[in-house]
Amino acid sequence: MPTKTKKSETTETSESTAVAVATSSFAEGDFNQSDIIMPEIKLSQGAGALGDWPKGQLVVDAEFEVEKPAIITVLSYKKQYVEYIPYGTGETSRFFDTEEEVVEAGLSLKWADNQRPTANAIMDTMICIHGGKDADPAQFPYEFKGERYLFCLWRIKGTSYDTAAKPIVTADSTYLKGNIRKGSFILEPKKAENSKGSWWVSRLTRKGINDDDFIGFLGEFM
């Protein structure tokens, strides 16, 4: 079945899927999305900012782990392409919205002459993590029908694109029929290996269908 072209943007750029900016009688000023700092979940590879965390852990803001496997619902997602820059060069990667822009910039998404692609697909998502009844309210601050939840950003990249991003697009294009919020997924890190070494990938599998009340709860957030 052909994949649909999605128009939704991440919370940084889309008005239709933006996180609601609360209005309060205790606040004054012109507030917008730039005033909100969203949590972000990452998969630890034992290096970089998460170098002190065990490999294969789901970590939020380098502060706490999310129990594995995690149940998540995707609220929105956006596909882009990012330029590959070798670590330590000090250069900044460029981002592109289409394959055409990648080619026009002189980059490639394919292996050639045993050389890696000079750009790769990524997916930026907003997700809701299901914490359960006993989750720490400080870590899962949203409550619905006695269950606790966390809304956060999640960037899917590298080899995880095949195992996590593509299942999202596939579900949205098939059994969820264009409403990604109707379904939930199981997110579980898996170890991958080849002749050059091992690393961890994020893997999504189908969990189930969400009821209308829960979808309404998601809509109150964004």
Side-chain angles (χ1 to χ4, degrees):
M1 181 174 180
T3 299
K4 298 177 182 178
T5 301
K6 304 299 292 182
K7 295 298 185 181
S8 61
E9 303 283 349
T10 62
T11 55
E12 296 177 353
T13 56
S14 172
E15 294 181 1
S16 62
T17 59
V19 176
V21 179
T23 57
S24 169
S25 59
F26 303 104
E28 297 181 6
D30 182 19
F31 297 102
N32 55 45
Q33 295 300 307
S34 66
D35 297 302
I36 297 177
I37 300 176
M38 288 299 302
E40 184 173 5
I41 190 169
K42 294 182 178 181
L43 176 60
S44 173
Q45 301 287 354
L50 299 181
D52 294 333
W53 294 83
K55 296 179 181 179
Q57 300 302 309
L58 298 170
V59 183
V60 177
D61 288 345
E63 294 179 358
F64 64 91
E65 295 179 14
V66 171
E67 185 176 349
K68 304 176 297 182
I71 299 175
I72 71 166
T73 302
V74 179
L75 279 74
S76 65
Y77 62 95
K78 178 181 179 180
K79 179 181 180 180
Q80 286 187 299
Y81 301 91
V82 61
E83 180 181 16
Y84 170 71
I85 299 293
Y87 180 76
T89 63
E91 298 181 27
T92 301
S93 297
R94 293 174 290 175
F95 288 78
F96 308 92
D97 288 329
T98 66
E99 288 191 34
E100 182 179 2
E101 292 176 359
V102 172
V103 174
E104 289 176 351
L107 304 176
S108 173
L109 297 169
K110 300 179 180 179
W111 283 83
D113 300 325
N114 207 32
Q115 297 296 313
R116 63 164 297 152
T118 49
N120 299 283
I122 64 170
M123 180 180 285
D124 283 321
T125 71
M126 176 70 75
I127 64 173
C128 174
I129 305 177
H130 303 223
K133 295 181 179 180
D134 299 324
D136 185 346
Q139 298 174 354
F140 292 80
Y142 299 88
E143 188 272 339
F144 179 71
K145 292 187 176 181
E147 304 278 340
R148 305 212 66 89
Y149 300 90
L150 169 68
F151 293 94
C152 65
L153 303 172
W154 178 33
R155 171 168 286 179
I156 307 171
K157 58 184 181 179
T159 49
S160 289
Y161 191 88
D162 285 342
T163 56
K166 288 184 179 180
I168 292 173
V169 181
T170 301
D172 199 16
S173 302
T174 55
Y175 67 94
L176 295 182
K177 300 179 179 179
N179 184 358
I180 192 61
R181 301 183 182 194
K182 287 176 59 177
S184 291
F185 299 89
I186 297 174
L187 167 58
E188 187 170 16
K190 294 289 186 179
K191 191 175 183 179
E193 296 180 290
N194 63 17
S195 59
K196 296 183 179 180
S198 63
W199 66 98
W200 289 81
V201 299
S202 299
R203 182 172 181 266
L204 285 187
T205 54
R206 185 187 307 186
K207 175 63 173 69
I209 301 298
N210 298 321
D211 60 34
D212 290 341
D213 287 347
F214 183 73
I215 296 173
F217 162 68
L218 300 177
E220 293 176 2
F221 181 77
M222 64 176 292

